[in-house]
Amino acid sequence: FPDVAKDDFKLMPTMSKDFFGNPTSPLLSITCDPWHYSDKLIILGDAAHACLPFYGQGMNAGFEDSLRLDELIEELDGDIAATFAALSKEMVPSRRGLVEASIQNHIDMQKNTNSKFEMFKKKIDWVLEDLLPGRWLPLYTMVTFTRIPYDVALARAAHQDLILSRAFVTCLAGGTVALAIAGVRFFASR
């Protein structure tokens, strides 16, 4: 693509050679439990919960780990052992949820990007978010714009998906019954 990025090739004349000479690494996820050892050591961010980059939440989660650590130090009056234990207990399930959300989003991007049905479902999600502010939130909104723990966001999104699926089935069944009744009436009138 020298025709698209001429300046890049001028700045990096060995870009093609470098790209093909450095194999890509496999994608992986890491979750640890607990994150701490007594009051001596705690790990945060990617050291505790490296995830696939397909939600763009890795750095955000690391910042949130630090913020929550700071909050817990204050809430627990500086008791470091209690703070570390509380942080591990609270954040490990959330970060496992982040890893799962990242994997699901990767699969979703691979399989559903061109699906008209999936795009329709997302539009319904957005409409419901507007109609039911604070009560209906798409998974993307929960993950990206709130501090809802990732595991809770996944569970809430699964519950909302179940509601939508049941509503779709009910509408489909209702439409089928209405069509059948109309058909029976039409043929009975002949």
Side-chain angles (χ1 to χ4, degrees):
F1 40 75
D3 55 321
V4 176
K6 290 177 189 167
D7 292 343
D8 294 344
F9 279 89
K10 288 177 187 170
L11 294 171
M12 300 176 284
T14 60
M15 183 170 67
S16 294
K17 179 181 162 230
D18 294 342
F19 178 80
F20 291 108
N22 293 301
T24 57
S25 300
L27 296 173
L28 59 94
S29 298
I30 296 171
T31 58
C32 299
D33 186 11
W35 290 2
H36 70 289
Y37 173 74
S38 181
D39 64 346
K40 308 292 185 228
L41 172 80
I42 191 155
I43 56 175
L44 303 174
D46 282 353
H49 51 77
C51 62
L52 301 181
F54 300 106
Y55 236 118
Q57 288 296 302
M59 188 183 303
N60 182 59
F63 286 146
E64 189 177 36
D65 295 347
S66 300
L67 175 62
R68 191 62 188 130
L69 175 63
D70 184 59
E71 292 169 347
L72 284 169
I73 289 171
E74 188 173 323
E75 289 171 24
L76 298 172
D77 298 320
D79 182 338
I80 298 301
T83 297
F84 285 3
L87 187 73
S88 284
K89 183 178 181 183
E90 178 181 327
M91 300 303 272
V92 166
S94 174
R95 296 313 182 247
R96 285 189 175 141
L98 170 59
V99 167
E100 179 60 30
S102 296
I103 292 167
Q104 283 182 12
N105 199 46
H106 175 60
I107 293 166
D108 185 47
M109 289 188 317
Q110 282 181 322
K111 295 184 177 182
N112 298 326
T113 301
N114 292 324
S115 167
K116 289 185 186 333
F117 180 71
E118 290 298 323
M119 295 310 294
F120 175 72
K121 275 178 47 181
K122 286 186 188 301
K123 287 179 181 176
I124 295 293
D125 247 356
W126 298 332
V127 168
L128 290 171
E129 181 181 21
D130 286 342
L131 294 174
L132 305 165
R135 292 177 35 208
W136 188 281
L137 292 172
L139 179 60
Y140 182 81
T141 300
M142 287 187 273
V143 166
T144 308
F145 301 114
T146 75
R147 285 186 70 191
I148 296 171
Y150 296 103
D151 59 320
V152 173
L154 280 174
R156 184 171 171 179
H159 180 70
Q160 290 176 175
D161 282 348
L162 180 63
I163 291 169
L164 276 182
S165 295
R166 287 181 177 168
F168 288 144
V169 168
T170 302
C171 289
L172 186 60
T176 302
V177 168
L179 190 59
I181 291 170
V184 167
R185 286 185 179 163
F186 174 75
F187 287 113
S189 68
R190 295 184 133 215

